[in-house]
Structures are given as C-alpha cells and as structure tokens.
Amino acid sequence: MNEQLVSMITQLVMEKMGEKTADAVPQNTATPIEKPKETLIKFYDTADNVAHEMPNITEAPNDTLIKLYNNASHTQQRSGEPSYDEPTDRTAAITTFQFEADNISESIQAARKHTPARIGVGRAGSRPKTKTWLKFRLDHAAAVDAVYGEVTEDLLNQLNVFQVTTRVTDKEEYITRPDLGRRLSDESKALIQAKCQKNPQVQIIMSNGLSASAIEANVQDVYLALQQSLRNLNIEIGTTFYIDKGRVALMDEIGELLQAEVVVYLIGERPGLVSAESMSAYICYQPRFGTVEADRMVISNIHKGGIPPLEAGAYLGTVVEKILQYKASGVDLVAKES
C-alpha cells in the first residue's frame, strides 16, 4: 500500500476523533464533587454479596468509639471501670454457693429446744424448702413401714413368749375393721386357756398394734424392767404372750378369759411424722366386757426421744402397785387417791 495514502487516512481519523472529544466536554465548569468519607462498617448480603453501607456518622475529632489501653500504662482508666486487660469474671472474688440463712427469732429457737415438731422451718416461695420436704417424705415412709411391718420371730424367742392372733386376716382388714382386732380367734382362745396361768395378779400382753417398729425398738427393755420392778414389789406375774394385729380393747376379752386382776398391755402407737417407734402401755384393773375407756390408764410416748424404755418399765411397776392397793384404775383411781 502507498505510504502517503496511509498517512493521509491516519491524519483524517485523528482529526475526526479530536473533534468528537471537544464536543463531549461541557461548556460550564462543574463543581468538583467531594469524595465521600470511608464508611465505618460494611454489611454484605450473603445472597449476592452486595455491600450495604451504613450512613456516615459525624464524630468529634477526639471522641473515639473504643479506647484501647496499653498493658504497661493504665493512666486513662477511670476508677470503678472494669479493666479491658482481662475478662471481668476473673476480677471478682470466687465464692462458694450457700443456701439462704434462716432468720429465726429467739422465741422460735427457744421452742425448738423443747419439741421435735416442725416449727420455724421456713419456706421457699409458696413451697417448703427442699431439705424440709425430703425429711417429711422420709418420716412418712418410716410411718408406713411401721404400720405394715411385722415383729420378728427372733424377738419373740428372746422374750420367751408365744403368739396368738385376732380375727383379722391381713393388714388392710386390720386398718378398716378395728372391731375384728378387739376379738381373739377361736384357736387363740383355746391356746391361751391351755398355756396361761389362771387368775394372775398381773397379766402382761404385747401387740404390734399400729407400729411393729415400736415393739422392735422398745418392748424388750420395757418388759424386762417391768418384770424386775414387779418382782421387787412381790407382785405375781402371769404368762406373757404376744398378739398379732391387736387393738387396745382386746384386753377386756383377755381379762374375762383369764380373770386377771390387772392387765398391762404393751402396744405400738399409731406412728406420726416425729417418731414411728413410739409405744404405749395401757393398764386396767379387772378389765371385762363392757369396761369403759375412763377405767383405763395409759403411759404413752415410750421411745428413745420420749420416755426412755427402761424408765417406763420401772414406773409401770409403781403404777400397778397403786392400782392393786386401791383396787381401781383410771378415773376411779384418781377419785380414791384424792
């Protein structure tokens, strides 16, 4: 190709491009646009990674958002402000957890010394405290075990007593039919007549009643102390025996059957939530069918937390001596003594 022709075409193209560039420039000079300040934080949409910029915040030149301190110097740290050098949970002293202390008045503290009852135990909101509730459940379970438990054969062998039964067939019937626990079975009547001494001065009987635990825990000490006390007083003792599932009024039928002058009945008490091992001793002068409750006497609360068993047995001997002396018991004995 002709070099002269190429040079002419190139010059024409350059001139034409220069004219278009001049036409594109506006006649009026525009005000320069200030470059926006760099944003503090940029948020990105995870879907399209589009940056959403937060609006610019005008801050004073000396007012910084976060102050960083050098570990070597804490001169700018204000008093009462937590240190940023280490976590705040390490600055506080570590203390072991303690339950809320009971604020008990002096009067309640004094009452607690004289009773095992649940007084001043406090509450957690509207409910008992956990410790109190667990102790209640434990005592209730012990009471149930006492009612449904049985006296062991080993204890009866140690006391050298034989066993008879009432007309009750099981524990459920014993609880729901007290009348059946007040009468001996026919076989038991025949056994008592065959083995027991007739017309004794004092006839001692024992029964689990409503607490087998009470008999297991107390009857041996009470019985041995009572025996010794009566022998020291030269009072004759009949043939002692044990009654399974007996009631208090059963002593009337036994008094009728053996014609005993005094009957001493050691029986397990209805268990409570303070003690499931409490035993009672009922004493009556010439108990017979038709004897009223006013003629009976009772020494109750015999257990390690109440009347000590040995002390109760010794005291029973003096009560029996008084009954034989006045030939009365219960209300009649009180009247004759006065």
Side-chain angles (χ1 to χ4, degrees):
M1 182 178 293
N2 191 347
E3 294 181 1
Q4 186 177 0
L5 180 60
V6 173
S7 177
M8 290 175 61
I9 293 173
T10 303
Q11 185 176 359
L12 290 174
V13 171
M14 293 298 293
E15 292 177 356
K16 195 67 176 177
M17 291 180 63
E19 293 177 358
K20 290 183 178 182
T21 303
D23 294 338
V25 177
Q27 299 297 327
N28 298 327
T29 304
T31 304
I33 301 174
E34 183 181 358
K35 185 178 179 181
K37 296 181 181 179
E38 185 180 357
T39 55
L40 298 176
I41 302 174
K42 293 183 179 180
F43 294 93
Y44 292 89
D45 191 343
T46 56
D48 53 8
N49 292 331
V50 178
H52 302 282
E53 298 181 356
M54 292 293 291
N56 294 321
I57 303 175
T58 304
E59 298 287 347
N62 294 329
D63 192 3
T64 57
L65 295 178
I66 301 176
K67 296 181 179 180
L68 301 179
Y69 297 102
N70 192 335
N71 291 337
S73 174
H74 299 279
T75 56
Q76 299 184 25
Q77 182 176 343
R78 299 177 183 177
S79 60
E81 292 183 353
S83 172
Y84 295 97
D85 298 336
E86 57 183 6
T88 55
D89 57 348
R90 294 184 183 177
T91 60
I94 298 175
T95 57
T96 58
F97 176 78
Q98 295 181 351
F99 288 100
E100 179 184 356
D102 295 331
N103 296 323
I104 303 174
S105 63
E106 294 183 0
S107 59
I108 294 179
Q109 292 179 9
R112 277 183 167 184
K113 297 179 181 179
H114 301 283
T115 177
R118 292 175 173 83
I119 58 175
V121 295
R123 301 184 72 82
S126 60
R127 298 175 180 272
K129 292 185 177 181
T130 302
K131 183 178 180 180
T132 304
W133 176 246
L134 293 177
K135 183 64 167 59
F136 174 86
R137 295 293 301 273
L138 176 64
D139 292 339
H140 182 266
V144 173
D145 290 343
V147 172
Y148 285 91
E150 299 292 344
V151 176
T152 62
E153 291 290 339
D154 292 341
L155 177 61
L156 300 182
N157 293 334
Q158 291 176 13
L159 298 175
N160 193 25
V161 296
F162 66 94
Q163 179 175 334
V164 298
T165 60
T166 61
R167 296 184 181 181
V168 174
T169 57
D170 54 34
K171 283 288 184 180
E172 297 297 331
E173 189 175 51
Y174 174 75
I175 295 172
T176 57
R177 292 290 305 274
D179 57 312
L180 297 179
R182 299 186 185 111
R183 300 301 300 270
L184 292 166
S185 63
D186 295 336
E187 296 81 1
S188 297
K189 288 182 183 179
L191 186 61
I192 290 172
Q193 289 177 332
K195 288 191 171 185
C196 291
Q197 175 185 341
K198 302 298 188 295
N199 307 109
Q201 272 189 295
V202 178
Q203 175 63 50
I204 302 174
I205 56 178
M206 53 187 71
S207 174
N208 52 358
L210 286 167
S211 177
S213 302
I215 299 299
E216 288 281 345
N218 306 299
V219 75
Q220 187 170 12
D221 290 339
V222 174
Y223 177 58
L224 296 178
L226 175 58
Q227 273 188 323
Q228 183 177 358
S229 178
L230 294 176
R231 286 170 182 166
N232 293 338
L233 296 170
N234 296 320
I235 298 175
E236 180 190 13
I237 304 173
T239 308
T240 305
F241 58 91
Y242 171 79
I243 309 162
D244 184 40
K245 302 178 184 68
R247 295 282 182 172
V248 174
L250 184 60
M251 65 193 309
D252 299 344
E253 184 175 8
I254 293 170
E256 189 83 38
L257 195 63
L258 297 177
Q259 294 296 303
E261 193 168 359
V262 176
V263 174
V264 178
Y265 194 179
L266 307 177
I267 187 171
E269 290 181 1
R270 178 182 292 105
L273 295 175
V274 171
S275 174
E277 299 180 348
S278 184
M279 191 182 76
S280 292
Y282 287 85
I283 316 105
C284 188
Y285 178 74
Q286 293 185 348
R288 304 291 186 268
F289 287 127
T291 297
V292 296
E293 296 303 317
D295 292 336
R296 307 187 204 279
M297 303 177 67
V298 61
I299 298 172
S300 61
N301 203 34
I302 302 173
H303 61 97
K304 61 183 179 181
I307 302 175
L310 291 175
E311 181 179 334
Y315 177 67
L316 280 171
T318 61
V319 174
V320 170
E321 181 186 30
K322 189 181 298 185
I323 290 174
L324 291 172
Q325 177 184 350
Y326 289 97
K327 298 186 181 303
S329 61
V331 176
D332 290 341
L333 176 62
V334 176
K336 287 185 178 183
E337 278 186 312
S338 60

